[in-house]
Amino acid sequence: MSQTPQLENRGYEVEDSQVLGERRSLLSIIVSKFFQNKLAVVGLVTLAIITIACLLAPYIAPHDPAYQDLRNRLGEPSSEHWLGTDHLGRDLFSRMLYGGQVSLYVGFASMLGAVTIGAVIGAVAGYFGGLVDAFLMRMVDVILAFPNIFLLITLVAILQPSINILILVFALLSWTGTARVVRGEFLSLKKREFVLASRTIGMSNTRIIFSQILPNALGPVIVAATLAVGSFILAESALSFFGLGVQPPHASWGNMLTDSQSITIFRTAWWYPTFPGLLILITVLCFNFIGDGLRDALDPRVVEK
């Protein structure tokens, strides 16, 4: 009598080990495919260097980013100031490191907020369908009908610009793309056998959505999230350029460009707008390269090969 459960347990253990082995094999294939994309690897390494340098700014920045040396305003790059100084004599390299903390924080936090909102709404719409799907998708259409940049400027101006307000506005206005992607995946996946089996054993809708279907729909979401970080950094830079982004005394790559928008500075201090702008360009390119690499690596047609 006691041998039957033991045999059944062993069977489950063998099945679980096989599933685990298949998942590890699939993960190794995805990682291998990603690292075969040279641009994606270059983007990942470069982004890691930039991120680590910004996080270690208190230890590697040669100067206080807020210190003003008015006798050395718009100073050229030198051994003391590697990338020169700004219009108030502040060290540009130090401000870029500290500004990177703010810009990357805004990008990542906005992405997490937008992806979370979009994933939940898309999952609910795709799983339940019917009137729920129709209502949520019409809400998406309404948001997409408004020009995004004008909505951003209006909301930020009304709510008073700050780092947290920027993140909130970005997240509330940028979840629609993720919602559509997740909804499309759910419309396909909810008809699969494992979902029908989950319903048969009495699993709740909430558990089916978040533990069964959503993990299988994360591939396109991860790619979209990677690309969204670069978009949010650009959006923050654009709003800061118009004076509606991160406000002083906080430094960001965007408001550093704002301070350098004088035509006189463009002519006489080329390093001031060049280095922050170049860092924005490189960072956004890195995210785009990583997103392209993940898209190819997570493509089932590519993985099967």
Side-chain angles (χ1 to χ4, degrees):
M1 295 293 291
S2 61
Q3 292 181 353
T4 302
Q6 293 178 358
L7 292 175
E8 291 178 354
N9 289 337
R10 289 177 182 176
Y12 283 121
E13 289 175 1
V14 171
E15 183 179 355
D16 291 341
S17 63
Q18 289 177 348
V19 173
L20 184 59
E22 291 176 358
R23 289 181 178 177
R24 288 178 178 175
S25 176
L26 180 60
L27 180 61
S28 64
I29 293 174
I30 292 174
V31 172
S32 176
K33 289 291 183 182
F34 177 83
F35 280 98
Q36 288 177 9
N37 189 321
K38 295 181 180 179
L39 285 178
V41 174
V42 170
L44 181 63
V45 173
T46 304
L47 181 63
I49 293 173
I50 293 174
T51 303
I52 293 173
C54 293
L55 292 176
L56 297 178
Y59 304 100
I60 64 178
H63 299 277
D64 184 345
Y67 175 72
Q68 301 178 10
D69 184 4
L70 299 179
R71 295 173 299 178
N72 193 25
R73 292 180 294 177
L74 298 178
E76 296 183 359
S78 61
S79 58
E80 182 180 1
H81 301 284
W82 300 343
L83 300 182
T85 61
D86 64 9
H87 65 299
L88 295 177
R90 297 171 295 192
D91 183 70
L92 200 59
F93 178 69
S94 301
R95 287 184 63 78
M96 286 174 61
L97 291 177
Y98 280 92
Q101 293 181 351
V102 175
S103 294
L104 291 173
Y105 169 67
V106 170
F108 277 107
S110 301
M111 176 271 292
L112 290 175
V115 167
T116 301
I117 297 172
V120 171
I121 291 179
V124 171
Y127 182 79
F128 291 103
L131 293 177
V132 175
D133 181 29
F135 172 75
L136 293 177
M137 288 302 102
R138 297 299 76 75
M139 186 169 61
V140 169
D141 293 337
V142 170
I143 295 177
L144 291 175
F146 290 94
N148 207 10
I149 187 63
F150 294 116
L151 271 179
L152 282 173
I153 293 175
T154 302
L155 288 177
V156 171
I158 292 174
L159 298 175
Q160 299 301 318
S162 68
I163 295 175
N164 292 329
I165 290 298
L166 280 178
I167 294 172
L168 177 63
V169 172
F170 286 156
L172 291 177
L173 295 182
S174 304
W175 55 268
T176 52
T178 301
R180 283 186 163 185
V181 171
V182 173
R183 172 183 176 269
E185 293 292 319
F186 265 69
L187 289 175
S188 174
L189 292 172
K190 71 178 183 179
K191 299 177 182 178
R192 300 283 292 273
E193 290 80 2
F194 70 92
V195 177
L196 297 177
S198 299
R199 290 173 178 166
T200 302
I201 64 176
M203 192 176 292
S204 65
N205 289 329
T206 303
R207 188 175 178 185
I208 293 175
I209 290 173
F210 292 103
S211 67
Q212 300 297 316
I213 306 180
L214 189 58
N216 291 280
L218 286 181
V221 175
I222 293 173
V223 176
T226 306
L227 298 174
V229 177
S231 300
F232 288 131
I233 292 176
L234 282 177
E236 182 273 325
S237 302
L239 289 177
S240 294
F241 190 79
F242 291 113
L244 295 174
V246 178
Q247 300 297 304
H250 298 289
S252 75
W253 295 337
N255 64 23
M256 291 176 71
L257 289 178
T258 303
D259 295 336
S260 62
Q261 61 183 319
S262 169
I263 189 64
T264 303
I265 292 178
F266 271 102
R267 291 178 177 177
T268 60
W270 58 268
W271 56 89
Y272 189 8
T274 298
F275 291 123
L278 189 61
L279 196 53
I280 293 173
L281 173 64
I282 293 173
T283 303
V284 174
L285 280 177
C286 288
F287 279 112
N288 290 341
F289 290 155
I290 293 171
D292 289 341
L294 287 174
R295 181 188 59 199
D296 295 339
L298 294 171
D299 189 341
R301 295 168 297 180
V302 177
V303 173
E304 289 176 358
K305 298 179 183 178

